[in-house]
Amino acid sequence: MFISCNKDCGAGCPLEAVMDNGTIISIRDNPHRGKYMRGCAKGYRMHTLLSHPDRLLYPLARTGPRGSSKFERISWEEALDAVAGQLSGRDAGTVLRLGGSGACEGKVHNTVTLTKRFLSGLGAYCDTKGSYSSETTDYMKGHLTGTRNVGIDVRTLLDTKFLVLLGFNPRDTRFGCETEEVLKEIRRRNIPAVLIDPRRTASAGLCGASWIPIRPGTDAVLLTALLHEAVSSGYTDVSAVESYAKGFSEIARWTLGEADGIVRDPLWAQDICGIDARRICDLAEMLMTHHPAALIPGLSVQRTIGGEESDRMGLALQAALGNIGVSGGSAGCGQWNYGPGISVSGIFQSIEGAPECGYIPVSIWPEGIDEQTMVYNVGGNYLGQGNNVRGSADALRKSEFTVSHEQFLTPTARFSDIVLPVTMFLERRDLRTSNSELLLYSEAAAEPPGEVRDDYWIFSQLAGRLGYGEAFTMGRSADGWVDHILESLPAEAKEACLNRGFWESPQRPWTGFSDYIKNPASHPLPTPSGRIELNPESYQKASGSRFPVLKLPEGSAEFPLALITPHGRFHIHSQYSGVKKPLDRSLVMHPLDARQRSITEGQSVRVRSLHGELTASVHIDDSVTQG
């Protein structure tokens, strides 16, 4: 039975559920998959969550203080009446939407789209804007290029002559169903590769990359020093690059020290990055003698103070090297595999005629809650994602009423007044797109347990109680929407989805900016100048800077170590935490750091900063850089 994984990683893997008497006994790769398409450990284990003992099976109403996990089972009628009663007659501006990444790519069962559509029927609700995952780069690339489509098709990496993984760990974070296999092919072809990361991750082994340890948060400094080498050596034709990247000449002079007297060369960068100047020069030499070269940044490099400059300097460096818009190269910024995608219309995000909603940046959502706020949370667990867990908990305690659609009693759900049990993707039909230019069809491989319902059904019932049920559903069930979308597809796409489980865009492989680089005048970018803008006025007006500001994480004698918190291979945040492999809570420390503190393998330690503390057992390993 064809299924398509719809987890938070967004990879979009074509899979198959192996059935026995109506029960899923295993999940494997779709037999019709392409050469490089593979699933991952998380997707292969998804069916084990269906009957997990902690799964929510019935609607719950809070009986104890928020956060106490004290609930009682209630009927669906009671639950829906309670939620509709809270929404009825309420000022829509006091309803705050949370969550969304639970099913982030579905064309019907999309937790963002469905919640927005439902709340739009109330009026101008308050939305959360942005993403915890990629807000810095999403914000910056709009100023730099005017588009989010800055990526490349992963298959074009097979044309590269040199691959640089900058804080990018696809073995754990995925980014497409083909990425890992393409990296393995790069190793088989002996294409040189390097990993620049505070950790020597398993992704280095995928492509045979050598490891350059870097101090966390200093990626933009390294990129600046590499740009200095390209410019100062005469490799880069500054005026030629300026013709398609406005502001490049100013950035080039800035690296040479002509703007402020600071020469930003490898000697300047080495003490900041923790990378020897000679090694930086060698890396620059490799980039200048291997064309095209692909610089692939992970989202980690923009999740730091001043993360905007990693985007700007990565884009500037690739422009200087002539690697933008060519197969085997990359733009060096943004989400590297973001492209135009397959154009398939799903359910619209708002009901026709609904007013525009207000919003609050997602990073400060607790500030949008007061005693009159109703929080509606679907497909998200924001309590554990913000930078102030206690403050977020206090905000949820403050709200007038909170509703969560959930599969498990997450920390956010524990602070809710009503919790509604919802389906997993294996229990519903859907279509989804992916960054790999795939349209995937997913059948319902299992029946929902207990009284579990899908989000669409819940919203349909509530909209009916509130008087806009027909406007919300447009007369269609969830399966009716899937059938409607299938009928709207080109015949070959529909046939491929139903007979193979997926359809692959005939436009593959593609490379972002290829038309623009070939003829900038005929294919201008959606920026004020029509060009890439490296010192965009729009950014300066939004309190940005004309020249890069290389902000660095602050250290002190009291807190000399940096703590990084990477994603795991077998879990997505806390998902799968109770299935087979437990969450790895160990703290990995370099042997010299451990020795200086008389810490031994397996010892339990307390880690603290100005902002909080945790306890963990230590694993001593030189796969993490000293410090």
Side-chain angles (χ1 to χ4, degrees):
M1 183 172 288
F2 298 132
I3 58 173
S4 167
C5 197
N6 202 0
K7 303 185 308 303
D8 190 22
C9 67
C13 303
L15 301 171
E16 182 181 53
V18 181
M19 311 296 293
D20 182 22
N21 293 324
T23 301
I24 306 174
I25 58 173
S26 67
I27 293 176
R28 64 189 181 191
D29 290 314
N30 185 315
H32 303 291
R33 69 188 185 277
K35 178 180 180 181
Y36 299 111
M37 296 178 188
R38 295 290 186 277
C40 73
K42 295 180 274 282
Y44 296 147
R45 296 188 298 142
M46 185 64 197
H47 64 293
T48 62
L49 292 180
L50 294 175
S51 57
H52 193 280
D54 292 338
R55 187 167 180 194
L56 299 176
L57 302 178
Y58 311 101
L60 301 175
R62 179 174 61 85
T63 58
R66 286 179 176 154
S68 66
S69 300
K70 294 182 178 179
F71 291 88
E72 65 177 2
R73 176 181 173 180
I74 60 174
S75 69
W76 271 107
E77 287 297 310
E78 291 173 304
L80 294 170
D81 286 345
V83 176
Q86 286 290 328
L87 290 167
S88 181
R90 175 183 289 271
D91 178 359
T94 66
V95 181
L96 174 66
R97 183 191 73 85
L98 290 187
S101 61
C104 51
E105 300 291 347
K107 307 311 291 185
V108 176
H109 297 284
N110 184 306
T111 42
V112 175
T113 300
L114 287 179
T115 312
K116 286 174 177 275
R117 181 173 179 81
F118 169 69
L119 294 179
S120 74
L122 302 173
Y125 66 97
C126 183
D127 201 2
T128 43
K129 184 177 182 180
S131 163
Y132 276 114
S133 294
S134 57
E135 185 57 21
T136 302
T137 187
D138 290 342
Y139 171 79
M140 195 61 179
K141 65 190 174 187
H143 292 292
L144 296 170
T145 68
T147 177
R148 75 173 195 166
N149 298 330
V150 302
I152 58 171
D153 188 319
V154 67
R155 294 184 194 177
T156 63
L157 291 180
L158 298 176
D159 292 330
T160 195
K161 297 299 187 294
F162 182 42
L163 175 63
V164 179
L165 304 181
L166 184 66
F168 179 50
N169 182 20
R171 184 174 180 270
D172 295 343
T173 56
R174 295 292 287 166
F175 281 90
C177 62
E178 297 175 304
T179 308
E180 290 181 75
E181 296 302 314
V182 167
L183 292 188
K184 291 177 184 177
E185 181 67 20
I186 284 173
R187 180 172 187 169
R188 285 190 288 267
R189 296 186 183 187
N190 292 315
I191 297 171
V194 64
L195 169 72
I196 302 170
D197 198 298
R199 299 188 304 148
R200 184 178 62 238
T201 66
S203 290
L206 287 178
C207 56
S210 59
W211 178 41
I212 299 179
I214 187 173
R215 189 163 291 139
T218 64
D219 306 276
V221 172
L222 173 63
L223 295 170
T224 299
L226 293 171
L227 178 60
H228 172 277
E229 293 302 278
V231 173
S232 64
S233 67
Y235 177 89
T236 298
D237 184 335
V238 174
S239 61
V241 177
E242 180 73 26
S243 69
Y244 67 87
K246 181 183 177 184
F248 180 80
S249 58
E250 284 190 284
I251 299 295
R253 290 195 297 271
W254 170 79
T255 66
L256 299 175
E258 295 178 13
D260 55 10
I262 300 173
V263 178
R264 294 171 173 86
D265 60 6
L267 282 173
W268 160 81
Q270 68 175 358
D271 291 336
I272 304 172
C273 299
I275 304 173
D276 183 76
R278 183 65 260 168
R279 198 165 193 185
I280 298 175
C281 291
D282 291 343
L283 178 58
E285 183 70 16
M286 281 290 294
L287 286 166
M288 289 185 283
T289 56
H290 291 73
H291 183 271
L295 172 65
I296 308 297
L299 292 181
S300 58
V301 301
Q302 51 94 57
R303 289 177 181 159
T304 184
I305 185 170
E308 298 89 345
E309 301 301 1
S310 293
D311 261 31
R312 175 157 39 178
M313 297 314 299
L315 184 64
L317 176 61
Q318 287 295 75
L321 297 169
N323 289 323
I324 299 176
V326 296
S327 186
S330 72
C333 68
Q335 296 186 54
W336 67 273
N337 63 340
Y338 247 41
I342 294 177
S343 180
V344 177
S345 294
I347 293 180
F348 298 120
Q349 287 193 350
S350 63
I351 291 172
E352 186 175 358
E356 290 189 14
C357 64
Y359 70 87
I360 185 170
V362 69
S363 59
I364 58 171
W365 64 264
E367 297 179 22
I369 297 177
D370 59 26
E371 290 78 4
Q372 286 77 48
T373 303
M374 178 175 177
V375 176
Y376 211 118
N377 173 57
V378 181
N381 183 20
Y382 278 7
L383 181 56
Q385 287 188 266
N387 59 3
N388 184 343
V389 175
R390 291 190 181 95
S392 298
D394 289 342
L396 289 175
R397 288 191 185 96
K398 188 192 306 180
S399 74
E400 183 178 357
F401 199 80
T402 296
V403 181
S404 285
H405 295 198
E406 257 302 347
Q407 299 159 354
F408 295 90
L409 201 60
T410 65
T412 306
R414 293 189 186 104
F415 279 77
S416 302
D417 298 284
I418 295 290
V419 182
L420 305 177
V422 291
T423 55
M424 299 179 182
F425 73 83
L426 290 169
E427 298 161 340
R428 59 198 184 219
R429 292 174 69 218
D430 207 351
L431 289 151
R432 64 155 295 167
T433 52
S434 80
N435 289 347
S436 301
E437 297 285 292
L438 301 177
L439 174 65
L440 303 109
Y441 175 58
S442 192
E443 299 177 271
E447 289 293 325
E451 295 180 9
V452 171
R453 301 289 186 269
D454 60 54
D455 299 303
Y456 184 89
W457 181 88
I458 295 170
F459 286 137
S460 299
Q461 295 295 312
L462 289 173
R465 281 168 164 78
L466 295 168
Y468 57 94
E470 182 67 21
F472 176 81
T473 66
M474 296 178 67
R476 299 186 182 100
S477 64
D479 282 349
W481 273 105
V482 175
D483 292 334
H484 172 73
I485 297 169
L486 281 169
E487 291 302 321
S488 70
L489 298 175
E492 65 273 17
K494 176 184 175 182
E495 180 182 1
C497 284
L498 295 178
N499 295 330
R500 294 196 302 147
F502 68 95
W503 178 61
E504 190 171 3
S505 168
Q507 305 302 318
R508 299 192 69 190
W510 53 271
T511 302
F513 301 123
S514 59
D515 290 338
Y516 168 70
I517 293 298
K518 290 175 185 175
N519 194 329
S522 298
H523 300 279
L525 298 178
T527 59
S529 67
R531 293 182 284 168
I532 291 171
E533 298 199 355
L534 294 174
N535 51 10
E537 291 184 10
S538 60
Y539 181 52
Q540 296 171 54
K541 290 177 181 177
S543 299
S545 59
R546 187 171 190 83
F547 293 105
V549 176
L550 304 178
K551 300 176 182 178
L552 302 174
E554 295 181 5
S556 68
E558 185 180 5
F559 301 107
L561 298 177
L563 174 68
I564 58 174
T565 54
H567 286 260
R569 176 167 173 76
F570 298 100
H571 309 91
I572 303 176
H573 307 304
S574 60
Q575 294 176 36
Y576 297 92
S577 60
V579 180
K580 292 185 179 178
K581 279 183 173 287
L583 283 172
D584 184 359
R585 303 288 190 185
S586 63
L587 183 83
V588 183
M589 180 177 283
H590 190 275
L592 292 178
D593 290 324
R595 192 176 306 144
Q596 289 173 6
R597 293 161 179 80
S598 300
I599 294 172
T600 57
E601 176 72 23
Q603 181 177 340
S604 180
V605 298
R606 183 165 65 99
V607 182
R608 67 183 181 90
S609 72
L610 292 173
H611 310 291
E613 63 181 55
L614 60 87
T615 56
S617 62
V618 172
H619 172 56
I620 300 173
D621 197 317
D622 64 2
S623 65
V624 62
T625 189
Q626 188 178 2

